[in-house]
Amino acid sequence: MRILLTGGAGFIGSHTCVELLDAGFEVTIVDNLSNSSETALKRVEEITGKKVSFHKCDILDRDSLKKIFDSEKIDSVIHFAGLKAVGESNEIPLKYFLNNVAGTVVLCEVMAEVGVKNLVFSSSATVYGDPKSVPITEDFPLSATNPYGRSKLMIEEILQDLYKSDNDWNIAMLRYFNPVGAHHSGRIGEDPNGIPNNLLPYIAQVAVGKLKELSIFGNDYNTSDGTGVRDYIHVVDLALGHIKAIDKLKTNPGLVTYNLGTGNGCSVLEMLKAFEKACEKEIPHRFAPRREGDAESCYADSSFAEKELNWKAEKTIDDMCKDMWKWQKNNPDGYK
Ligand code: NAD
Ligand code: UFG
Protein backbone atom coordinates (compact mmCIF):
# COMPACT_ATOMS: atom_id res chain seq x y z
CA MET A 1 0.00 0.00 0.00
CA ARG A 2 1.44 3.36 -1.04
CA ILE A 3 1.17 6.45 1.18
CA LEU A 4 1.91 9.93 -0.14
CA LEU A 5 3.51 12.29 2.37
CA THR A 6 3.36 16.00 1.64
CA GLY A 7 6.21 17.69 3.51
CA GLY A 8 7.78 14.26 3.96
CA ALA A 9 11.36 15.57 3.90
CA GLY A 10 10.75 17.62 7.05
CA PHE A 11 11.28 16.77 10.70
CA ILE A 12 8.14 14.78 11.48
CA GLY A 13 7.70 13.60 7.87
CA SER A 14 11.14 12.01 7.61
CA HIS A 15 10.67 10.09 10.87
CA THR A 16 7.21 8.95 9.78
CA CYS A 17 8.71 7.83 6.48
CA VAL A 18 11.13 5.52 8.34
CA GLU A 19 8.33 3.97 10.39
CA LEU A 20 6.08 3.52 7.34
CA LEU A 21 8.86 1.83 5.33
CA ASP A 22 9.75 -0.39 8.30
CA ALA A 23 6.09 -1.36 8.60
CA GLY A 24 6.02 -2.44 4.94
CA PHE A 25 4.29 0.55 3.32
CA GLU A 26 5.54 2.13 0.11
CA VAL A 27 6.15 5.87 0.32
CA THR A 28 5.89 8.77 -2.11
CA ILE A 29 7.08 12.18 -0.98
CA VAL A 30 6.05 15.57 -2.27
CA ASP A 31 8.09 18.41 -0.78
CA ASN A 32 9.27 21.77 -2.12
CA LEU A 33 12.30 21.61 0.23
CA SER A 34 11.51 25.11 1.53
CA ASN A 35 12.37 23.97 5.05
CA SER A 36 14.18 20.67 4.51
CA SER A 37 16.91 18.85 2.65
CA GLU A 38 16.91 15.89 0.29
CA THR A 39 19.76 14.52 2.43
CA ALA A 40 17.14 13.61 5.05
CA LEU A 41 15.52 11.28 2.51
CA LYS A 42 18.86 9.74 1.51
CA ARG A 43 19.36 8.95 5.19
CA VAL A 44 15.85 7.54 5.50
CA GLU A 45 16.77 5.14 2.67
CA GLU A 46 20.06 4.30 4.38
CA ILE A 47 18.31 3.59 7.74
CA THR A 48 15.58 1.43 6.22
CA GLY A 49 17.38 -0.08 3.23
CA LYS A 50 14.31 0.86 1.16
CA LYS A 51 13.63 3.43 -1.57
CA VAL A 52 11.26 6.37 -1.44
CA SER A 53 9.75 8.00 -4.50
CA PHE A 54 10.62 11.69 -4.12
CA HIS A 55 9.09 14.57 -6.09
CA LYS A 56 10.36 18.10 -5.55
CA CYS A 57 7.04 19.83 -5.95
CA ASP A 58 4.98 22.56 -4.29
CA ILE A 59 1.52 21.49 -3.18
CA LEU A 60 0.19 24.73 -4.68
CA ASP A 61 1.29 23.44 -8.11
CA ARG A 62 -1.93 21.67 -9.01
CA ASP A 63 -0.83 20.29 -12.40
CA SER A 64 2.36 18.71 -11.09
CA LEU A 65 0.52 17.32 -8.09
CA LYS A 66 -2.13 15.78 -10.35
CA LYS A 67 0.59 14.14 -12.49
CA ILE A 68 2.10 12.54 -9.38
CA PHE A 69 -1.28 11.11 -8.34
CA ASP A 70 -1.84 9.91 -11.92
CA SER A 71 1.54 8.18 -12.12
CA GLU A 72 1.58 6.45 -8.72
CA LYS A 73 -1.15 4.40 -7.15
CA ILE A 74 -1.73 6.29 -3.90
CA ASP A 75 -3.95 4.83 -1.21
CA SER A 76 -3.80 7.54 1.47
CA VAL A 77 -2.16 10.90 2.08
CA ILE A 78 -0.44 12.22 5.21
CA HIS A 79 -0.38 15.98 4.89
CA PHE A 80 2.61 17.45 6.77
CA ALA A 81 3.48 20.25 4.32
CA GLY A 82 3.15 23.66 5.90
CA LEU A 83 4.98 26.63 7.34
CA LYS A 84 5.18 26.44 11.13
CA ALA A 85 7.05 29.40 12.65
CA VAL A 86 4.68 31.26 14.97
CA GLY A 87 6.73 34.51 15.05
CA GLU A 88 7.18 34.59 11.28
CA SER A 89 3.46 34.02 10.80
CA ASN A 90 2.78 37.35 12.57
CA GLU A 91 5.07 39.09 10.06
CA ILE A 92 3.93 37.41 6.85
CA PRO A 93 0.41 36.14 7.57
CA LEU A 94 -0.68 36.02 3.94
CA LYS A 95 2.17 33.66 3.08
CA TYR A 96 0.97 31.35 5.87
CA PHE A 97 -2.63 31.39 4.65
CA LEU A 98 -1.58 30.85 1.04
CA ASN A 99 0.85 28.05 1.78
CA ASN A 100 -1.02 26.24 4.55
CA VAL A 101 -4.69 26.92 3.82
CA ALA A 102 -4.71 27.29 0.02
CA GLY A 103 -2.13 24.48 -0.24
CA THR A 104 -4.49 22.15 1.62
CA VAL A 105 -7.42 23.18 -0.58
CA VAL A 106 -5.43 22.42 -3.76
CA LEU A 107 -4.30 19.09 -2.33
CA CYS A 108 -7.87 18.09 -1.42
CA GLU A 109 -9.18 19.15 -4.83
CA VAL A 110 -6.62 16.98 -6.58
CA MET A 111 -7.32 14.09 -4.21
CA ALA A 112 -11.07 14.38 -4.88
CA GLU A 113 -10.44 14.48 -8.62
CA VAL A 114 -8.41 11.26 -8.60
CA GLY A 115 -10.65 9.59 -6.00
CA VAL A 116 -8.12 9.31 -3.17
CA LYS A 117 -10.17 10.25 -0.09
CA ASN A 118 -8.09 9.06 2.86
CA LEU A 119 -6.30 11.91 4.60
CA VAL A 120 -4.27 12.32 7.78
CA PHE A 121 -3.72 15.98 8.63
CA SER A 122 -1.00 17.50 10.85
CA SER A 123 -2.88 19.75 13.20
CA SER A 124 -1.49 21.16 16.41
CA ALA A 125 -2.25 21.74 20.07
CA THR A 126 -2.04 25.39 19.09
CA VAL A 127 -5.75 25.13 18.09
CA TYR A 128 -6.59 25.10 21.82
CA GLY A 129 -5.23 28.66 22.15
CA ASP A 130 -4.59 29.42 25.83
CA PRO A 131 -6.28 26.36 27.36
CA LYS A 132 -8.64 26.98 30.29
CA SER A 133 -7.29 23.95 32.16
CA VAL A 134 -5.10 20.87 31.72
CA PRO A 135 -5.06 18.10 30.63
CA ILE A 136 -6.69 19.03 27.33
CA THR A 137 -9.32 16.79 25.74
CA GLU A 138 -10.38 16.99 22.09
CA ASP A 139 -13.67 18.70 22.95
CA PHE A 140 -12.01 21.78 24.52
CA PRO A 141 -12.92 25.15 22.96
CA LEU A 142 -10.74 26.11 20.01
CA SER A 143 -9.14 29.46 19.26
CA ALA A 144 -6.12 30.95 17.56
CA THR A 145 -3.58 33.36 19.00
CA ASN A 146 -1.52 33.91 15.81
CA PRO A 147 -1.80 33.43 12.02
CA TYR A 148 -0.05 30.05 12.12
CA GLY A 149 -2.55 28.74 14.64
CA ARG A 150 -5.39 30.32 12.68
CA SER A 151 -4.23 28.53 9.52
CA LYS A 152 -4.46 25.18 11.37
CA LEU A 153 -7.88 26.04 12.76
CA MET A 154 -9.13 27.14 9.32
CA ILE A 155 -7.88 23.91 7.76
CA GLU A 156 -9.67 21.85 10.43
CA GLU A 157 -12.90 23.71 9.62
CA ILE A 158 -12.39 23.29 5.87
CA LEU A 159 -11.87 19.56 6.33
CA GLN A 160 -15.08 19.36 8.38
CA ASP A 161 -17.01 21.09 5.59
CA LEU A 162 -15.40 18.80 3.03
CA TYR A 163 -16.45 15.73 4.98
CA LYS A 164 -19.99 17.06 5.43
CA SER A 165 -20.25 17.56 1.67
CA ASP A 166 -18.97 14.07 0.84
CA ASN A 167 -19.04 11.26 3.40
CA ASP A 168 -16.75 9.12 1.25
CA TRP A 169 -13.81 10.96 2.80
CA ASN A 170 -11.97 9.50 5.78
CA ILE A 171 -10.01 12.18 7.58
CA ALA A 172 -7.91 11.97 10.75
CA MET A 173 -6.91 15.31 12.22
CA LEU A 174 -3.98 14.76 14.57
CA ARG A 175 -3.29 17.48 17.10
CA TYR A 176 0.38 17.17 17.99
CA PHE A 177 1.66 18.52 21.27
CA ASN A 178 5.44 19.28 21.36
CA PRO A 179 7.37 16.91 19.07
CA VAL A 180 11.06 16.57 19.98
CA GLY A 181 13.89 14.03 19.84
CA ALA A 182 15.33 12.25 16.84
CA HIS A 183 15.75 8.78 15.36
CA HIS A 184 17.90 6.66 17.68
CA SER A 185 20.48 6.19 14.89
CA GLY A 186 21.33 9.91 15.15
CA ARG A 187 21.10 10.09 11.31
CA ILE A 188 17.88 12.12 11.03
CA GLY A 189 16.55 14.84 13.30
CA GLU A 190 15.23 18.38 13.50
CA ASP A 191 17.24 20.91 11.49
CA PRO A 192 15.86 24.38 12.18
CA ASN A 193 16.80 27.34 9.98
CA GLY A 194 18.77 30.00 11.84
CA ILE A 195 18.36 30.46 15.59
CA PRO A 196 15.80 27.96 16.89
CA ASN A 197 12.56 29.23 18.46
CA ASN A 198 11.72 26.00 20.22
CA LEU A 199 13.13 24.86 23.53
CA LEU A 200 14.81 21.55 22.72
CA PRO A 201 16.63 22.62 19.53
CA TYR A 202 17.79 25.72 21.41
CA ILE A 203 19.12 23.73 24.38
CA ALA A 204 20.84 21.28 22.00
CA GLN A 205 22.62 24.11 20.20
CA VAL A 206 23.80 25.60 23.51
CA ALA A 207 25.04 22.14 24.53
CA VAL A 208 27.05 21.75 21.31
CA GLY A 209 28.53 25.24 21.70
CA LYS A 210 26.73 26.98 18.83
CA LEU A 211 24.75 29.26 21.15
CA LYS A 212 25.91 30.93 24.35
CA GLU A 213 23.09 30.36 26.82
CA LEU A 214 19.46 29.43 27.11
CA SER A 215 16.98 32.14 28.10
CA ILE A 216 14.19 30.64 30.18
CA PHE A 217 11.09 32.63 29.34
CA GLY A 218 9.44 33.23 32.72
CA ASN A 219 9.93 31.69 36.15
CA ASP A 220 6.83 33.16 37.77
CA TYR A 221 4.18 30.89 36.27
CA ASN A 222 1.82 29.04 38.55
CA THR A 223 3.62 25.71 37.96
CA SER A 224 5.72 23.43 40.19
CA ASP A 225 8.95 25.40 39.60
CA GLY A 226 7.57 28.59 38.00
CA THR A 227 8.61 27.71 34.42
CA GLY A 228 6.27 26.84 31.52
CA VAL A 229 4.92 23.30 31.25
CA ARG A 230 4.51 21.39 27.96
CA ASP A 231 3.78 17.89 26.73
CA TYR A 232 6.95 16.87 24.89
CA ILE A 233 6.49 13.81 22.71
CA HIS A 234 9.24 11.78 21.03
CA VAL A 235 9.01 12.19 17.26
CA VAL A 236 9.20 8.40 16.76
CA ASP A 237 6.17 7.87 19.03
CA LEU A 238 4.42 10.56 17.01
CA ALA A 239 5.42 8.86 13.75
CA LEU A 240 3.94 5.57 15.01
CA GLY A 241 0.71 7.43 15.78
CA HIS A 242 0.42 8.18 12.05
CA ILE A 243 0.59 4.51 11.16
CA LYS A 244 -2.22 3.84 13.63
CA ALA A 245 -4.20 6.68 12.05
CA ILE A 246 -3.68 5.17 8.57
CA ASP A 247 -4.93 1.82 9.94
CA LYS A 248 -7.94 3.61 11.43
CA LEU A 249 -8.86 5.17 8.07
CA LYS A 250 -9.24 1.64 6.70
CA THR A 251 -12.25 1.18 9.01
CA ASN A 252 -14.10 4.11 7.34
CA PRO A 253 -14.37 6.21 10.50
CA GLY A 254 -15.36 9.44 8.70
CA LEU A 255 -13.77 12.52 10.23
CA VAL A 256 -11.93 11.90 13.50
CA THR A 257 -9.73 14.08 15.71
CA TYR A 258 -7.06 12.90 18.14
CA ASN A 259 -4.62 14.53 20.53
CA LEU A 260 -1.17 13.03 20.17
CA GLY A 261 0.75 13.72 23.34
CA THR A 262 2.14 11.77 26.28
CA GLY A 263 -0.30 13.19 28.83
CA ASN A 264 2.64 14.31 30.99
CA GLY A 265 3.56 17.91 31.66
CA CYS A 266 7.28 18.76 31.83
CA SER A 267 8.66 22.16 32.89
CA VAL A 268 11.48 24.04 31.17
CA LEU A 269 13.76 23.43 34.16
CA GLU A 270 12.94 19.70 34.22
CA MET A 271 13.77 19.48 30.51
CA LEU A 272 17.00 21.38 31.01
CA LYS A 273 18.08 18.96 33.77
CA ALA A 274 17.24 15.94 31.61
CA PHE A 275 19.29 17.35 28.73
CA GLU A 276 22.24 18.09 31.02
CA LYS A 277 22.13 14.44 32.11
CA ALA A 278 22.05 13.26 28.48
CA CYS A 279 24.96 15.41 27.30
CA GLU A 280 26.88 15.14 30.57
CA LYS A 281 27.57 18.86 30.84
CA GLU A 282 26.07 21.94 32.41
CA ILE A 283 24.04 24.13 30.11
CA PRO A 284 24.43 27.86 30.70
CA HIS A 285 21.06 29.52 31.25
CA ARG A 286 19.41 32.61 32.68
CA PHE A 287 15.89 33.64 33.54
CA ALA A 288 14.26 36.10 31.14
CA PRO A 289 10.81 37.73 30.94
CA ARG A 290 7.85 35.66 29.76
CA ARG A 291 7.51 35.27 25.98
CA GLU A 292 4.40 36.97 24.64
CA GLY A 293 1.63 34.58 23.72
CA ASP A 294 3.01 31.63 25.73
CA ALA A 295 0.54 29.52 27.67
CA GLU A 296 1.43 28.62 31.25
CA SER A 297 0.75 24.93 30.95
CA CYS A 298 -0.29 22.77 28.03
CA TYR A 299 -0.54 19.00 28.05
CA ALA A 300 -2.79 16.43 26.50
CA ASP A 301 -5.34 13.98 27.65
CA SER A 302 -4.47 11.36 25.03
CA SER A 303 -6.81 8.68 26.29
CA PHE A 304 -9.07 9.00 23.23
CA ALA A 305 -6.20 8.15 20.87
CA GLU A 306 -5.18 5.32 23.18
CA LYS A 307 -8.69 3.85 23.12
CA GLU A 308 -9.50 4.42 19.44
CA LEU A 309 -6.10 3.95 17.82
CA ASN A 310 -4.56 1.54 20.31
CA TRP A 311 -1.63 3.96 20.44
CA LYS A 312 0.28 5.32 23.38
CA ALA A 313 3.53 7.29 23.54
CA GLU A 314 6.16 5.05 25.14
CA LYS A 315 9.36 7.07 25.19
CA THR A 316 10.51 9.11 28.17
CA ILE A 317 11.97 12.60 28.50
CA ASP A 318 15.38 10.93 28.96
CA ASP A 319 14.93 9.06 25.64
CA MET A 320 14.02 12.33 23.91
CA CYS A 321 17.11 14.11 25.25
CA LYS A 322 19.46 11.18 24.58
CA ASP A 323 18.35 10.84 20.94
CA MET A 324 18.27 14.59 20.38
CA TRP A 325 21.81 14.89 21.75
CA LYS A 326 23.09 12.07 19.53
CA TRP A 327 21.65 13.82 16.46
CA GLN A 328 22.99 17.26 17.48
CA LYS A 329 26.46 16.01 18.43
CA ASN A 330 26.87 14.02 15.21
CA ASN A 331 25.35 16.73 13.01
CA PRO A 332 26.20 20.10 14.60
CA ASP A 333 25.21 21.87 11.38
CA GLY A 334 22.18 19.71 10.66
CA TYR A 335 22.11 18.38 7.07
CA LYS A 336 24.43 21.14 5.76
P1 NAD B 1 9.05 20.89 8.83
O1 NAD B 1 9.17 22.31 8.42
O2 NAD B 1 10.29 20.18 9.23
O3 NAD B 1 8.33 20.05 7.67
C1 NAD B 1 7.39 20.62 6.80
C2 NAD B 1 7.80 20.25 5.39
O4 NAD B 1 6.85 20.80 4.47
C3 NAD B 1 9.17 20.82 4.99
O5 NAD B 1 9.96 19.77 4.48
C4 NAD B 1 8.86 21.86 3.92
O6 NAD B 1 9.89 21.95 2.95
C5 NAD B 1 7.55 21.32 3.35
N1 NAD B 1 6.67 22.32 2.74
C6 NAD B 1 6.24 23.49 3.27
N2 NAD B 1 5.40 24.10 2.41
C7 NAD B 1 5.29 23.31 1.33
C8 NAD B 1 4.59 23.41 0.10
N3 NAD B 1 3.84 24.48 -0.20
N4 NAD B 1 4.71 22.40 -0.80
C9 NAD B 1 5.48 21.33 -0.54
N5 NAD B 1 6.19 21.19 0.60
C10 NAD B 1 6.09 22.16 1.52
O7 NAD B 1 7.96 20.83 10.00
P2 NAD B 1 7.56 19.62 10.95
O8 NAD B 1 7.98 19.97 12.32
O9 NAD B 1 7.98 18.34 10.36
O10 NAD B 1 5.97 19.77 10.90
C11 NAD B 1 5.16 19.03 10.02
C12 NAD B 1 3.72 19.47 10.19
O11 NAD B 1 3.34 19.31 11.55
C13 NAD B 1 3.48 20.94 9.86
O12 NAD B 1 2.25 21.05 9.20
C14 NAD B 1 3.42 21.60 11.20
O13 NAD B 1 2.63 22.76 11.19
C15 NAD B 1 2.79 20.51 12.06
N6 NAD B 1 3.12 20.63 13.49
C16 NAD B 1 4.42 20.71 13.86
C17 NAD B 1 4.74 20.87 15.22
C18 NAD B 1 6.17 21.00 15.67
O14 NAD B 1 6.40 21.52 16.76
N7 NAD B 1 7.16 20.54 14.91
C19 NAD B 1 3.71 20.91 16.19
C20 NAD B 1 2.40 20.80 15.76
C21 NAD B 1 2.11 20.65 14.39
N1 UFG C 1 11.18 28.31 26.05
C1 UFG C 1 12.18 28.94 26.76
N2 UFG C 1 13.27 29.36 26.08
C2 UFG C 1 13.42 29.20 24.74
C3 UFG C 1 12.38 28.54 24.02
C4 UFG C 1 11.26 28.12 24.72
O1 UFG C 1 12.09 29.12 27.97
O2 UFG C 1 14.44 29.63 24.17
C5 UFG C 1 9.99 27.80 26.79
C6 UFG C 1 8.69 28.43 26.35
O3 UFG C 1 8.45 29.63 27.06
C7 UFG C 1 7.69 27.31 26.68
C8 UFG C 1 8.49 26.03 26.45
O4 UFG C 1 9.85 26.42 26.52
O5 UFG C 1 7.33 27.38 28.04
C9 UFG C 1 8.22 25.39 25.10
O6 UFG C 1 8.41 26.34 24.06
P1 UFG C 1 8.49 25.91 22.52
O7 UFG C 1 8.75 27.15 21.74
O8 UFG C 1 9.45 24.80 22.36
O9 UFG C 1 7.05 25.31 22.22
P2 UFG C 1 5.62 25.98 22.30
O10 UFG C 1 4.78 25.11 23.18
O11 UFG C 1 5.68 27.41 22.63
O12 UFG C 1 5.10 25.89 20.78
C10 UFG C 1 5.18 24.67 20.05
C11 UFG C 1 5.28 24.99 18.57
C12 UFG C 1 4.01 25.63 18.09
C13 UFG C 1 2.85 24.77 18.44
C14 UFG C 1 2.82 24.47 19.90
C15 UFG C 1 1.71 23.51 20.24
O13 UFG C 1 6.35 25.87 18.32
O14 UFG C 1 4.06 25.75 16.70
O15 UFG C 1 4.06 23.89 20.31
O16 UFG C 1 1.83 22.36 19.45
F1 UFG C 1 1.73 25.42 18.09
Side-chain angles (χ1 to χ4, degrees), residues 124 126 176-178 198-199 215-217 230 232 291 294:
S124 165
T126 191
Y176 312 153
F177 280 67
N178 289 58
N198 298 116
L199 181 65
S215 295
I216 298 178
F217 299 140
R230 295 291 182 273
Y232 299 95
R291 184 171 64 179
D294 269 357

Side-chain angles (χ1 to χ4, degrees), residues 35-91:
N35 195 38
S36 52
S37 161
E38 214 179 324
T39 308
L41 298 180
K42 299 235 155 54
R43 296 198 183 171
V44 164
E45 292 184 335
E46 174 197 299
I47 291 168
T48 59
K50 295 186 179 154
K51 289 269 167 225
V52 297
S53 165
F54 172 60
H55 302 267
K56 184 169 182 221
C57 170
D58 197 297
I59 54 166
L60 286 161
D61 179 352
R62 181 190 308 263
D63 293 344
S64 303
L65 204 52
K66 169 83 167 40
K67 279 190 193 128
I68 296 166
F69 276 94
D70 284 340
S71 66
E72 303 199 19
K73 204 179 158 334
I74 307 296
D75 181 80
S76 305
V77 172
I78 308 181
H79 177 32
F80 295 107
L83 298 173
K84 62 164 184 175
V86 171
E88 185 186 63
S89 80
N90 285 310
E91 283 150 33

Side-chain angles (χ1 to χ4, degrees), residues 74 92 133 172 179 200 293 308:
I74 307 296
I92 45 170
S133 60
L200 251 278
E308 292 265 307

Side-chain angles (χ1 to χ4, degrees), residues 160-177:
Q160 273 158 9
D161 286 341
L162 175 62
Y163 175 66
K164 263 187 233 151
S165 74
D166 177 358
N167 288 179
D168 286 348
W169 281 85
N170 288 297
I171 302 173
M173 306 198 295
L174 305 182
R175 295 180 182 152
Y176 312 153
F177 280 67

Side-chain angles (χ1 to χ4, degrees), residues 2 40 45 65 83 91 131 145 151 165 179 186 212 219 228 245 259 262 274 276-277 281 293 306 308 313:
R2 183 170 284 277
E45 292 184 335
L65 204 52
L83 298 173
E91 283 150 33
T145 52
S151 76
S165 74
K212 198 164 106 306
N219 62 347
N259 283 342
T262 63
E276 286 180 331
K277 188 169 121 196
K281 48 177 127 175
E306 186 175 348
E308 292 265 307

